[in-house]
């Protein structure tokens, strides 16, 4: 019996230590479980904006110069961030939009506006989506305007140029969405957008301007039709920005600046900076675009 006594005391001490450890572990387990459950139930949300100057939030300033980062993507990010935080989720916003981007430069690189990433915008977007395959990601995309903008200048419409630009958008957008889809995870939502028609503002420049405005709408319709078709082929909804801007509505006539103009002309002059020759949306127009995206989200 005496020989057993010395071994019992360490055994009791070990038992007490084990019980203490179990007690501490039991006390910590609910908090750890709550933290793990919170991470599962409130995953981070991500927003990736892709496209050209509209996605970049480009605006000219009345006194000259311009700003970026003040567009629909920023408006949309504020709304999505508010929704995420209300649900207890962290939120992250990344904008890869590059002013002047065409569908070709987006796919292959070469955007001329200074930007912080190397390579093509598409390659960077693919890398981003692959890194977030398991996450909740919203992707918005606008592209194609710069493929045809040069086709309506000098008061006339270059139809071969426009048709070639539209065909280019069809080919490149199909590639862009295909690669984005391949990289995206099951919780990624991609939304495209069609385009408003800034050349409607030519209506105010006289009879030749009215003719150009009238011709520009079928061009916008043809481009938007291609965008919508390619989006649909990749199961991507299209935010109806053209509809929000009433692009096809030459009636009714509405008052603007002391005269009556078609509704679609008024929308472009109210929601873009075309009054000073800048095709980009203003603050009000960018919010209209953001609302069109939200309607699809």
């Amino acid at each position: 019996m005496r020989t057993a006594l010395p071994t019992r005391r360490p055994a009791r001490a070990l038992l007490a230590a084990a019980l203490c450890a179990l007690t501490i572990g039991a006390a910590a387990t609910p908090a750890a479980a709550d933290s793990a459950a919170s991470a599962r139930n409130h995953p981070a949300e991500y927003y990736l904006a892709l496209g050209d100057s509209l996605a970049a939030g480009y605006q000219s300033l009345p006194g000259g110069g311009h700003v970026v980062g003040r567009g629909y993507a920023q408006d949309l990010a504020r709304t999505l961030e508010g929704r995420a935080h209300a649900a207890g989720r962290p939120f992250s916003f990344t904008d890869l939009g590059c002013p002047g981007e065409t569908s070709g430069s987006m796919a292959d690189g070469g955007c001329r506006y200074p930007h912080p990433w190397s390579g093509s915008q598409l390659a960077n977007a693919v890398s981003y989506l692959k890194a977030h395959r398991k996450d909740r990601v919203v992707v918005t995309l606008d592209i194609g305007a710069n493929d045809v903008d040069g086709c309506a200048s000098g008061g006339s419409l270059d139809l071969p140029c426009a048709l070639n630009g539209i065909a280019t958008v069809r080919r490149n957008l199909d590639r862009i969405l295909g690669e984005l889809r391949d990289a995206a995870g099951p919780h990624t939502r991609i939304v495209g957008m069609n385009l408003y028609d800034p050349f409607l503002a030519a209506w105010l420049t006289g009879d030749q301007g009215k003719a150009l405005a009238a011709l520009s709408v079928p061009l916008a319709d043809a481009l938007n039709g291609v965008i919508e078709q390619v989006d649909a082929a990749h199961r991507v909804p299209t935010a109806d920005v053209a509809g929000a801007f009433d692009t096809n509505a030459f009636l009714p006539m509405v008052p603007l600046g002391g005269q009556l103009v078609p509704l679609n002309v008024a929308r472009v002059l109210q929601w873009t900076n075309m009054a000073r020759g800048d095709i980009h949306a203003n603050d009000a127009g960018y919010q209209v675009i953001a609302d069109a995206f939200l309607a699809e989200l």
Side-chain angles (χ1 to χ4, degrees), residues 164-232:
N164 181 66
I166 292 170
T168 299
V169 171
R170 181 188 295 276
R171 180 175 63 255
N172 290 331
L173 183 58
D174 182 61
R175 174 187 165 187
I176 289 165
L177 287 178
E179 293 192 25
L180 292 177
R181 270 290 183 208
D182 288 343
H187 306 297
T188 295
R189 303 174 68 186
I190 304 172
V191 183
M193 70 170 251
N194 58 23
L195 304 166
Y196 59 84
D197 177 7
F199 301 108
L200 283 164
W203 182 276
L204 298 183
T205 64
D207 290 342
Q208 185 176 356
K210 290 179 179 178
L212 174 60
L215 288 173
S216 72
V217 171
L219 167 62
D221 288 346
L223 176 59
N224 287 335
V226 164
I227 291 172
E228 291 160 9
Q229 290 166 14
V230 178
D231 283 355

Side-chain angles (χ1 to χ4, degrees), residues 74-133:
Q74 288 71 32
D75 294 335
L76 188 54
R78 281 190 291 272
T79 299
L80 295 178
E81 182 177 25
R83 291 179 179 181
H85 287 177
R89 299 188 180 102
F91 179 80
S92 176
F93 168 46
T94 300
D95 192 344
L96 296 182
C98 189
E101 194 86 283
T102 65
S103 62
S105 67
M106 183 177 185
D108 297 319
C111 182
R112 297 180 180 180
Y113 192 90
H115 50 278
W117 35 266
S118 60
S120 73
Q121 185 178 164
L122 177 59
N124 280 268
V126 166
S127 295
Y128 180 98
L129 291 176
K130 286 182 177 178
H132 292 283
R133 283 187 67 87

